[in-house]
């Protein structure tokens, strides 16, 4: 199983994650930051376990994030 790890408090709200992978990301109307859908929070770090891993798509989102707060493990 792979995991997407999102350090949300460092998000700058650019929206590239939602643009590239809208099935996993939404921008918050409250603070303008990205939310990783269906993720579980652990001390302000959001983790989503994924079974249907498409490395090209998810790796591109992590690579294109300007502040590098999306990690794949």
């Amino acid at each position: 199983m792979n995991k997407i790890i999102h350090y949300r408090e460092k998000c700058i709200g650019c929206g590239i994650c939602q643009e590239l992978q809208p099935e996993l990301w939404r921008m918050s109307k409250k603070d303008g930051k990205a939310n990783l859908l269906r993720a579980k929070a652990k001390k302000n770090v959001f983790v989503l376990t994924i079974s249907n891993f498409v490395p090209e798509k998810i790796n591109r989102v992590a690579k294109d994030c300007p502040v590098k707060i999306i990690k794949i493990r």
Side-chain angles (χ1 to χ4, degrees), residues 14-32:
C14 73
I16 193 75
C17 50
Q18 180 178 316
E19 183 180 320
L20 293 175
Q21 205 166 31
E23 64 275 12
L24 289 179
W25 301 93
R26 291 286 182 277
M27 301 307 292
S28 170
K29 292 181 181 179
K30 285 185 178 180
D31 62 7

Side-chain angles (χ1 to χ4, degrees), residues 51-65:
S51 57
N52 54 345
F53 182 64
V54 181
E56 301 81 30
K57 256 183 140 176
I58 296 172
N59 287 334
R60 179 157 183 226
V61 171
K63 180 181 167 237
D64 289 354
C65 175

